[in-house]
PDB file of all heavy atoms in Angstrom:
ATOM      1  N   VAL A 160     105.210  92.122  84.459  1.00  0.00           N
ATOM      2  CA  VAL A 160     103.886  91.575  84.728  1.00  0.00           C
ATOM      3  C   VAL A 160     102.881  92.698  84.932  1.00  0.00           C
ATOM      4  O   VAL A 160     103.249  93.831  85.203  1.00  0.00           O
ATOM      5  CB  VAL A 160     103.894  90.650  85.975  1.00  0.00           C
ATOM      6  CG1 VAL A 160     104.819  89.461  85.771  1.00  0.00           C
ATOM      7  CG2 VAL A 160     104.312  91.412  87.214  1.00  0.00           C
ATOM      8  N   THR A 161     101.617  92.347  84.799  1.00  0.00           N
ATOM      9  CA  THR A 161     100.529  93.272  85.088  1.00  0.00           C
ATOM     10  C   THR A 161      99.710  92.685  86.228  1.00  0.00           C
ATOM     11  O   THR A 161      99.306  91.525  86.168  1.00  0.00           O
ATOM     12  CB  THR A 161      99.653  93.488  83.837  1.00  0.00           C
ATOM     13  OG1 THR A 161     100.470  94.055  82.818  1.00  0.00           O
ATOM     14  CG2 THR A 161      98.493  94.421  84.134  1.00  0.00           C
ATOM     15  N   LEU A 162      99.492  93.499  87.247  1.00  0.00           N
ATOM     16  CA  LEU A 162      98.768  93.086  88.443  1.00  0.00           C
ATOM     17  C   LEU A 162      97.612  94.044  88.686  1.00  0.00           C
ATOM     18  O   LEU A 162      97.624  95.175  88.194  1.00  0.00           O
ATOM     19  CB  LEU A 162      99.706  93.105  89.654  1.00  0.00           C
ATOM     20  CG  LEU A 162     101.007  92.311  89.511  1.00  0.00           C
ATOM     21  CD1 LEU A 162     101.973  92.672  90.604  1.00  0.00           C
ATOM     22  CD2 LEU A 162     100.711  90.838  89.518  1.00  0.00           C
ATOM     23  N   LEU A 163      96.662  93.607  89.473  1.00  0.00           N
ATOM     24  CA  LEU A 163      95.511  94.435  89.795  1.00  0.00           C
ATOM     25  C   LEU A 163      95.351  94.570  91.305  1.00  0.00           C
ATOM     26  O   LEU A 163      95.360  93.576  92.028  1.00  0.00           O
ATOM     27  CB  LEU A 163      94.237  93.816  89.208  1.00  0.00           C
ATOM     28  CG  LEU A 163      92.933  94.563  89.464  1.00  0.00           C
ATOM     29  CD1 LEU A 163      92.946  95.923  88.776  1.00  0.00           C
ATOM     30  CD2 LEU A 163      91.757  93.731  88.985  1.00  0.00           C
ATOM     31  N   ALA A 164      95.209  95.811  91.755  1.00  0.00           N
ATOM     32  CA  ALA A 164      94.888  96.103  93.158  1.00  0.00           C
ATOM     33  C   ALA A 164      93.440  96.600  93.155  1.00  0.00           C
ATOM     34  O   ALA A 164      93.171  97.788  92.935  1.00  0.00           O
ATOM     35  CB  ALA A 164      95.835  97.151  93.711  1.00  0.00           C
ATOM     36  N   PRO A 165      92.480  95.689  93.375  1.00  0.00           N
ATOM     37  CA  PRO A 165      91.070  96.020  93.178  1.00  0.00           C
ATOM     38  C   PRO A 165      90.497  97.075  94.118  1.00  0.00           C
ATOM     39  O   PRO A 165      89.483  97.689  93.793  1.00  0.00           O
ATOM     40  CB  PRO A 165      90.358  94.676  93.350  1.00  0.00           C
ATOM     41  CG  PRO A 165      91.297  93.821  94.096  1.00  0.00           C
ATOM     42  CD  PRO A 165      92.677  94.301  93.777  1.00  0.00           C
ATOM     43  N   ARG A 166      91.143  97.320  95.266  1.00  0.00           N
ATOM     44  CA  ARG A 166      90.596  98.291  96.222  1.00  0.00           C
ATOM     45  C   ARG A 166      91.270  99.651  96.148  1.00  0.00           C
ATOM     46  O   ARG A 166      90.986 100.523  96.970  1.00  0.00           O
ATOM     47  CB  ARG A 166      90.706  97.728  97.640  1.00  0.00           C
ATOM     48  CG  ARG A 166      89.920  96.447  97.834  1.00  0.00           C
ATOM     49  CD  ARG A 166      89.969  95.955  99.273  1.00  0.00           C
ATOM     50  NE  ARG A 166      91.337  95.683  99.688  1.00  0.00           N
ATOM     51  CZ  ARG A 166      91.761  95.675 100.957  1.00  0.00           C
ATOM     52  NH1 ARG A 166      90.905  95.920 101.928  1.00  0.00           N
ATOM     53  NH2 ARG A 166      93.011  95.412 101.247  1.00  0.00           N
ATOM     54  N   LEU A 167      92.181  99.849  95.182  1.00  0.00           N
ATOM     55  CA  LEU A 167      92.917 101.105  95.091  1.00  0.00           C
ATOM     56  C   LEU A 167      92.646 101.840  93.793  1.00  0.00           C
ATOM     57  O   LEU A 167      92.327 101.229  92.779  1.00  0.00           O
ATOM     58  CB  LEU A 167      94.429 100.839  95.175  1.00  0.00           C
ATOM     59  CG  LEU A 167      95.000 100.362  96.503  1.00  0.00           C
ATOM     60  CD1 LEU A 167      96.475 100.036  96.348  1.00  0.00           C
ATOM     61  CD2 LEU A 167      94.787 101.405  97.587  1.00  0.00           C
ATOM     62  N   GLN A 168      92.838 103.146  93.847  1.00  0.00           N
ATOM     63  CA  GLN A 168      92.899 104.020  92.679  1.00  0.00           C
ATOM     64  C   GLN A 168      94.143 104.895  92.875  1.00  0.00           C
ATOM     65  O   GLN A 168      94.631 105.052  94.006  1.00  0.00           O
ATOM     66  CB  GLN A 168      91.639 104.880  92.556  1.00  0.00           C
ATOM     67  CG  GLN A 168      90.386 104.092  92.244  1.00  0.00           C
ATOM     68  CD  GLN A 168      90.392 103.489  90.839  1.00  0.00           C
ATOM     69  OE1 GLN A 168      90.848 104.094  89.882  1.00  0.00           O
ATOM     70  NE2 GLN A 168      89.882 102.273  90.729  1.00  0.00           N
ATOM     71  N   SER A 169      94.649 105.468  91.803  1.00  0.00           N
ATOM     72  CA  SER A 169      95.898 106.226  91.888  1.00  0.00           C
ATOM     73  C   SER A 169      95.817 107.390  92.878  1.00  0.00           C
ATOM     74  O   SER A 169      96.800 107.700  93.551  1.00  0.00           O
ATOM     75  CB  SER A 169      96.343 106.701  90.508  1.00  0.00           C
ATOM     76  OG  SER A 169      95.373 107.520  89.930  1.00  0.00           O
ATOM     77  N   ALA A 170      94.669 108.030  92.999  1.00  0.00           N
ATOM     78  CA  ALA A 170      94.527 109.153  93.936  1.00  0.00           C
ATOM     79  C   ALA A 170      94.761 108.720  95.385  1.00  0.00           C
ATOM     80  O   ALA A 170      95.181 109.527  96.213  1.00  0.00           O
ATOM     81  CB  ALA A 170      93.146 109.781  93.792  1.00  0.00           C
ATOM     82  N   ASP A 171      94.524 107.445  95.683  1.00  0.00           N
ATOM     83  CA  ASP A 171      94.688 106.925  97.049  1.00  0.00           C
ATOM     84  C   ASP A 171      96.146 106.858  97.482  1.00  0.00           C
ATOM     85  O   ASP A 171      96.432 106.844  98.681  1.00  0.00           O
ATOM     86  CB  ASP A 171      94.122 105.501  97.164  1.00  0.00           C
ATOM     87  CG  ASP A 171      92.661 105.403  96.833  1.00  0.00           C
ATOM     88  OD1 ASP A 171      91.917 106.384  97.063  1.00  0.00           O
ATOM     89  OD2 ASP A 171      92.247 104.333  96.339  1.00  0.00           O
ATOM     90  N   ILE A 172      97.062 106.758  96.523  1.00  0.00           N
ATOM     91  CA  ILE A 172      98.444 106.410  96.866  1.00  0.00           C
ATOM     92  C   ILE A 172      99.470 107.464  96.458  1.00  0.00           C
ATOM     93  O   ILE A 172     100.673 107.192  96.475  1.00  0.00           O
ATOM     94  CB  ILE A 172      98.819 105.036  96.286  1.00  0.00           C
ATOM     95  CG1 ILE A 172      98.672 105.020  94.766  1.00  0.00           C
ATOM     96  CG2 ILE A 172      97.965 103.939  96.941  1.00  0.00           C
ATOM     97  CD1 ILE A 172      99.220 103.768  94.109  1.00  0.00           C
ATOM     98  N   GLN A 173      99.013 108.667  96.112  1.00  0.00           N
ATOM     99  CA  GLN A 173      99.942 109.726  95.759  1.00  0.00           C
ATOM    100  C   GLN A 173     100.842 110.051  96.948  1.00  0.00           C
ATOM    101  O   GLN A 173     100.400 110.079  98.094  1.00  0.00           O
ATOM    102  CB  GLN A 173      99.183 110.980  95.305  1.00  0.00           C
ATOM    103  CG  GLN A 173      98.465 110.780  93.988  1.00  0.00           C
ATOM    104  CD  GLN A 173      99.388 110.317  92.875  1.00  0.00           C
ATOM    105  OE1 GLN A 173     100.334 111.001  92.502  1.00  0.00           O
ATOM    106  NE2 GLN A 173      99.121 109.130  92.358  1.00  0.00           N
ATOM    107  N   ASN A 174     102.119 110.279  96.665  1.00  0.00           N
ATOM    108  CA  ASN A 174     103.128 110.630  97.669  1.00  0.00           C
ATOM    109  C   ASN A 174     103.402 109.511  98.664  1.00  0.00           C
ATOM    110  O   ASN A 174     103.831 109.772  99.791  1.00  0.00           O
ATOM    111  CB  ASN A 174     102.757 111.929  98.376  1.00  0.00           C
ATOM    112  CG  ASN A 174     102.624 113.062  97.388  1.00  0.00           C
ATOM    113  OD1 ASN A 174     103.495 113.273  96.552  1.00  0.00           O
ATOM    114  ND2 ASN A 174     101.501 113.762  97.439  1.00  0.00           N
ATOM    115  N   LEU A 175     103.147 108.262  98.242  1.00  0.00           N
ATOM    116  CA  LEU A 175     103.503 107.095  99.042  1.00  0.00           C
ATOM    117  C   LEU A 175     104.619 106.353  98.315  1.00  0.00           C
ATOM    118  O   LEU A 175     105.094 106.798  97.274  1.00  0.00           O
ATOM    119  CB  LEU A 175     102.279 106.191  99.241  1.00  0.00           C
ATOM    120  CG  LEU A 175     101.039 106.844  99.862  1.00  0.00           C
ATOM    121  CD1 LEU A 175      99.921 105.825 100.016  1.00  0.00           C
ATOM    122  CD2 LEU A 175     101.367 107.504 101.189  1.00  0.00           C
ATOM    123  N   ALA A 176     105.064 105.225  98.854  1.00  0.00           N
ATOM    124  CA  ALA A 176     106.134 104.433  98.235  1.00  0.00           C
ATOM    125  C   ALA A 176     105.594 103.073  97.809  1.00  0.00           C
ATOM    126  O   ALA A 176     104.683 102.525  98.434  1.00  0.00           O
ATOM    127  CB  ALA A 176     107.292 104.244  99.216  1.00  0.00           C
ATOM    128  N   ILE A 177     106.175 102.532  96.736  1.00  0.00           N
ATOM    129  CA  ILE A 177     105.877 101.170  96.313  1.00  0.00           C
ATOM    130  C   ILE A 177     107.141 100.362  96.534  1.00  0.00           C
ATOM    131  O   ILE A 177     108.248 100.809  96.212  1.00  0.00           O
ATOM    132  CB  ILE A 177     105.348 101.126  94.855  1.00  0.00           C
ATOM    133  CG1 ILE A 177     104.815  99.738  94.522  1.00  0.00           C
ATOM    134  CG2 ILE A 177     106.372 101.649  93.862  1.00  0.00           C
ATOM    135  CD1 ILE A 177     103.926  99.701  93.276  1.00  0.00           C
ATOM    136  N   MET A 178     106.987  99.175  97.139  1.00  0.00           N
ATOM    137  CA  MET A 178     108.135  98.426  97.663  1.00  0.00           C
ATOM    138  C   MET A 178     108.150  96.976  97.199  1.00  0.00           C
ATOM    139  O   MET A 178     107.111  96.320  97.174  1.00  0.00           O
ATOM    140  CB  MET A 178     108.052  98.443  99.196  1.00  0.00           C
ATOM    141  CG  MET A 178     109.272  97.997  99.913  1.00  0.00           C
ATOM    142  SD  MET A 178     110.554  99.264  99.938  1.00  0.00           S
ATOM    143  CE  MET A 178     109.748 100.585 100.847  1.00  0.00           C
ATOM    144  N   VAL A 179     109.362  96.497  96.888  1.00  0.00           N
ATOM    145  CA  VAL A 179     109.596  95.077  96.624  1.00  0.00           C
ATOM    146  C   VAL A 179     110.414  94.546  97.793  1.00  0.00           C
ATOM    147  O   VAL A 179     111.431  95.142  98.174  1.00  0.00           O
ATOM    148  CB  VAL A 179     110.375  94.858  95.302  1.00  0.00           C
ATOM    149  CG1 VAL A 179     110.624  93.369  95.068  1.00  0.00           C
ATOM    150  CG2 VAL A 179     109.633  95.478  94.119  1.00  0.00           C
ATOM    151  N   HIS A 180     109.967  93.429  98.357  1.00  0.00           N
ATOM    152  CA  HIS A 180     110.671  92.803  99.476  1.00  0.00           C
ATOM    153  C   HIS A 180     111.525  91.629  98.993  1.00  0.00           C
ATOM    154  O   HIS A 180     111.268  91.065  97.932  1.00  0.00           O
ATOM    155  CB  HIS A 180     109.657  92.320 100.524  1.00  0.00           C
ATOM    156  CG  HIS A 180     108.976  93.450 101.233  1.00  0.00           C
ATOM    157  ND1 HIS A 180     109.413  93.946 102.424  1.00  0.00           N
ATOM    158  CD2 HIS A 180     107.882  94.190 100.889  1.00  0.00           C
ATOM    159  CE1 HIS A 180     108.635  94.939 102.808  1.00  0.00           C
ATOM    160  NE2 HIS A 180     107.693  95.110 101.883  1.00  0.00           N
ATOM    161  N   ALA A 181     112.499  91.241  99.784  1.00  0.00           N
ATOM    162  CA  ALA A 181     113.434  90.167  99.418  1.00  0.00           C
ATOM    163  C   ALA A 181     112.746  88.815  99.311  1.00  0.00           C
ATOM    164  O   ALA A 181     113.074  88.009  98.444  1.00  0.00           O
ATOM    165  CB  ALA A 181     114.575  90.086 100.424  1.00  0.00           C
TER     166      ALA A 181
END
Side-chain angles (χ1 to χ4, degrees):
V160 299
T161 299
L162 306 166
L163 180 65
R166 298 184 300 157
L167 291 175
Q168 293 292 321
S169 60
D171 300 329
I172 59 171
Q173 292 305 299
N174 301 311
L175 304 181
I177 190 164
M178 193 77 62
V179 179
H180 291 266

